[in-house]
Amino acid sequence: MSGSTQDHWKHTWPCAQVFGDFLCSNREKLKDKVVLEIGAGATGVCGLAAAKLGARRVWLTDHPDLEIALKTLQRNVEANNVSEACTVTGLDWDDRQSVSRAIDLIGDRLDVILASDVFFDPSTFCGLVDTFAQLLIRYENARVWFAYQQRDDSWTCGPQLEKYPFLKVVLEKQIETGKETIDIFTMTNSKAESKGLYAGIEGGATGSKLVIIDSETNWRTESSNLGTNFYLTDYKIVCKRIADWILDVFEKEKLKIEDLRALGLGLSGAEDEEFNNKFVDYFRKNHGNVTDNFYLTSDSIMTLLANFPREENGIVLIAGTGSSCRMKKKDGSVQGAGGWGHMIGDGGSAFWIARAAIQMLFDAEDGFDNTYNTDVIKALLFKHYNINEKTRILNYMYSNFEKHVVADFTVSLAQKVNDDPAIGEVFRSAGHILGRHVATVAKHLPEEERKSLDIVLIGGVFRSWSALQAGFVAAMQGTGVQKLRMFEPCDSPAVGAAVLAAKERYGIFLAQEDKKILRLEIDV
């Protein structure tokens, strides 16, 4: 049934009153805007309201064959003293040429499209959705507001929307009048919405990295900050630290925070989905001015997905302040080992190495184990912490414990790893534990796929690979692994976080370096 043969235009439907009130409460989004009303009928209540609320230009449209309706609409424009702002014209939403002619009249700018209770007769739905799509393709930054009165039927425009996956429809508000239930929806071009800035954070226990990427130009800026492991620091503090950090970088770079489309967070410790949801809910509630679009997972998972985005097996092995190992299989499933913090995990990490060396010193001087001379460890410990008695290290291990302060001792140890047998043994043991991480996840691969493993190495501990290698390879014996290919990450994990946020939230792919650098190949 053609829109020209219907008589819906003769009435002012309940939607118009409710929709008009909604527009009044959003007057700031109409001021100085160019507005188009679809299906204005004879009254044009919503378009006239937009003009009264300060719209720069309003186009009021209905079917070209409804001459009486359009003439009445013109008289309403004149009666409301908005002739300078308003133009009445025909638009047939079943005719693409009619829509194209309307676009030619409107010109280069259209900000808001209004439609009150146009989704009334299912026979018109296809043309309506086609019209909205045609308009949002031409005016990709425009926004559609449409009101719909719920009735005793199961009508839906869902099948028509499936033709245009870029159309994003969101229920903005639901109003109960006592007699009717009226829904107000927003429709936008999600591809246009996706244009803007994306941020990614790689959050470790010791420090964190932030990257901001412009999706159109690939411009980037990077920043560093304190650790963001919310098992070591209260998650509310971590939320505030992240929000303040982002706002500070945006201010320094003279960026607009409203241009931030999504934030990817790869945070150390973010392994529990329930707790992750709690974190995101708190962030949205207390720091929603930054963004409410998130992609949150652990730093190891984030790095894994960023470096192995395709249908392939891949392992990420992290050994920084802490340690963890995660493997993605071809089917997308993830297996993990370690990553449970310094109390029950972190084997082979910088913290583990520092603690093991300190324990070796204490055990030797207590007489428990005299296998190795620990004089070099003791000298390095005194110098690193500026102490003259070994028991003073207990202050750093207990009463004033900070994981990264203990882990930092590994830097001093690494400088002597090739000269001192005791330190060499600590690093060899660390390598063996890290190798066991890989061997553990590799068990989940079929025997044939286990023969050659691709591993991305993350963390400062791997700068001492020559001291780790013997222990690492020994741990792989008897596992069916024949070759190890060790890679540097293809890009910063923070970049990976931003890329994944853009992909998950908007279905777009930001430019990133996707070629991993082969560091070495090892035959087991």
Side-chain angles (χ1 to χ4, degrees):
M1 182 163 55
S2 169
S4 63
T5 63
Q6 299 180 31
D7 60 1
H8 303 152
W9 59 269
K10 296 179 180 179
H11 307 282
T12 300
W13 298 93
C15 266
Q17 175 67 48
V18 173
F19 198 19
D21 291 341
F22 173 81
L23 297 178
C24 288
S25 66
N26 287 273
R27 63 178 65 223
E28 74 283 354
K29 296 179 181 179
L30 293 167
K31 186 175 177 58
D32 293 326
K33 303 298 185 185
V34 178
V35 178
L36 166 67
E37 183 177 7
I38 300 286
T43 58
V45 170
C46 299
L48 294 177
K52 293 278 190 177
L53 293 169
R56 174 181 297 185
R57 189 76 182 160
V58 179
W59 301 84
L60 298 118
T61 69
D62 214 311
H63 199 283
D65 293 345
L66 297 175
E67 295 182 9
I68 297 176
L70 295 175
K71 288 178 180 179
T72 305
L73 184 56
Q74 181 61 47
R75 288 199 295 270
N76 278 335
V77 168
E78 294 165 359
N80 281 276
N81 299 314
V82 289
S83 297
E84 291 186 5
C86 294
T87 299
V88 175
T89 188
L91 188 155
D92 179 2
W93 58 56
D94 284 321
D95 183 352
R96 284 185 174 271
Q97 291 303 315
S98 178
V99 179
S100 295
R101 287 192 293 270
I103 288 173
D104 290 340
L105 283 174
I106 293 168
D108 292 333
R109 177 181 172 186
L110 179 62
D111 303 304
V112 180
I113 301 162
L114 305 177
S116 177
D117 214 8
V118 293
F119 288 105
F120 180 82
D121 186 336
S123 68
T124 69
F125 287 6
C126 185
L128 269 170
V129 173
D130 286 347
T131 294
F132 286 145
Q134 191 173 347
L135 289 167
L136 289 175
I137 289 171
R138 173 61 181 84
Y139 304 104
E140 62 178 18
N141 293 308
R143 177 181 299 270
V144 178
W145 274 330
F146 66 92
Y148 168 75
Q149 180 181 336
Q150 293 187 15
R151 297 180 173 88
D152 294 329
D153 52 54
S154 57
W155 296 346
T156 175
C157 60
Q160 289 77 24
L161 287 170
E162 289 178 1
K163 291 170 54 181
Y164 304 103
F166 63 86
L167 290 181
K168 178 183 177 184
V169 180
V170 176
L171 177 62
E172 191 86 15
K173 194 170 185 179
Q174 187 172 86
I175 299 100
E176 300 283 352
T177 67
K179 294 182 178 181
E180 301 90 13
T181 299
I182 295 174
D183 295 331
I184 297 175
F185 293 89
T186 300
M187 180 186 291
T188 52
N189 184 336
S190 62
K191 290 184 177 179
E193 278 193 344
S194 68
K195 293 180 180 178
L197 304 173
Y198 291 85
I201 289 178
E202 173 199 1
T206 303
S208 302
K209 295 180 180 179
L210 165 69
V211 64
I212 300 169
I213 304 174
D214 188 312
S215 61
E216 293 188 86
T217 65
N218 201 36
W219 170 88
R220 297 183 184 184
T221 187
E222 297 183 359
S223 176
S224 299
N225 204 341
L226 302 174
T228 48
N229 182 319
F230 47 61
Y231 284 113
L232 296 179
T233 306
D234 185 85
Y235 76 96
K236 295 178 181 179
I237 296 175
V238 172
C239 279
K240 186 176 188 307
R241 182 176 293 170
I242 289 172
D244 290 347
W245 182 16
I246 292 172
L247 290 171
D248 181 60
V249 172
F250 266 69
E251 182 178 355
K252 287 181 179 178
E253 296 291 338
K254 298 181 179 179
L255 304 173
K256 295 179 180 179
I257 194 62
E258 55 266 28
D259 289 338
L260 179 59
R261 296 292 177 260
L263 171 63
L265 298 170
L267 305 185
S268 177
E271 298 278 356
D272 185 280
E273 184 176 355
E274 182 178 346
F275 195 85
N276 288 357
N277 291 335
K278 182 179 178 181
F279 179 93
V280 169
D281 289 343
Y282 182 86
F283 195 104
R284 283 185 173 134
K285 182 178 179 180
N286 294 275
H287 306 288
N289 60 315
V290 175
T291 184
D292 61 359
N293 280 329
F294 292 90
Y295 183 80
L296 170 62
T297 187
S298 69
D299 54 344
S300 53
I301 296 293
M302 188 70 78
T303 305
L304 184 66
L305 297 178
N307 282 278
F308 299 100
R310 290 171 285 277
E311 294 181 358
E312 56 190 324
N313 297 320
I315 296 172
V316 165
L317 182 62
I318 297 177
T321 300
S323 68
S324 67
C325 181
R326 298 292 182 269
M327 177 182 71
K328 182 180 77 68
K329 298 172 66 176
K330 289 179 179 180
D331 63 6
S333 62
V334 175
Q335 300 290 337
W340 310 121
H342 62 280
M343 293 295 290
I344 53 176
D346 282 345
S349 68
F351 174 84
W352 185 94
I353 291 170
R355 189 208 56 78
I358 293 169
Q359 183 174 353
M360 182 182 283
L361 167 62
F362 274 69
D363 285 352
E365 297 206 345
D366 284 348
F368 284 119
D369 188 346
N370 294 313
T371 304
Y372 292 97
N373 183 301
T374 57
D375 288 347
V376 174
I377 294 176
K378 185 174 184 178
L380 290 173
L381 185 73
F382 285 9
K383 181 179 180 181
H384 184 88
Y385 290 103
N386 193 27
I387 57 178
N388 55 20
E389 164 58 45
K390 74 175 188 295
T391 56
R392 293 184 180 175
I393 193 61
L394 300 180
N395 175 57
Y396 295 100
M397 304 296 287
Y398 299 106
S399 57
N400 289 310
F401 174 77
E402 290 186 77
K403 182 177 177 180
H404 69 90
V405 173
V406 177
D408 191 47
F409 181 43
T410 298
V411 176
S412 294
L413 293 169
Q415 295 172 0
K416 296 293 184 179
V417 69
N418 294 321
D419 303 324
D420 182 70
I423 297 174
E425 173 58 21
V426 172
F427 274 80
R428 188 206 64 79
S429 298
H432 191 270
I433 293 176
L434 292 172
R436 286 175 57 200
H437 280 67
V438 172
T440 298
V441 298
K443 291 177 184 177
H444 297 280
L445 291 174
E447 185 175 347
E448 188 62 31
E449 295 179 15
R450 199 186 311 159
K451 291 181 179 180
S452 179
L453 301 180
D454 287 354
I455 306 172
V456 169
L457 303 178
I458 305 285
V461 168
F462 293 112
R463 295 175 191 148
S464 302
W465 173 254
S466 60
L468 303 170
Q469 181 170 338
F472 193 101
V473 173
M476 305 305 299
Q477 300 297 321
T479 63
V481 177
Q482 299 176 7
K483 183 180 290 291
L484 301 171
R485 299 203 313 159
M486 306 293 206
F487 294 89
E488 293 182 12
C490 59
D491 215 332
S492 159
V495 171
V499 169
L500 286 168
K503 178 184 175 184
E504 293 296 323
R505 294 306 172 202
Y506 289 99
I508 67 169
F509 295 85
L510 302 181
Q512 71 172 131
E513 180 59 56
D514 60 358
K515 291 184 179 179
K516 297 181 286 293
I517 301 172
L518 182 63
R519 178 185 286 185
L520 70 159
E521 291 187 67
I522 301 170
D523 293 322
V524 178

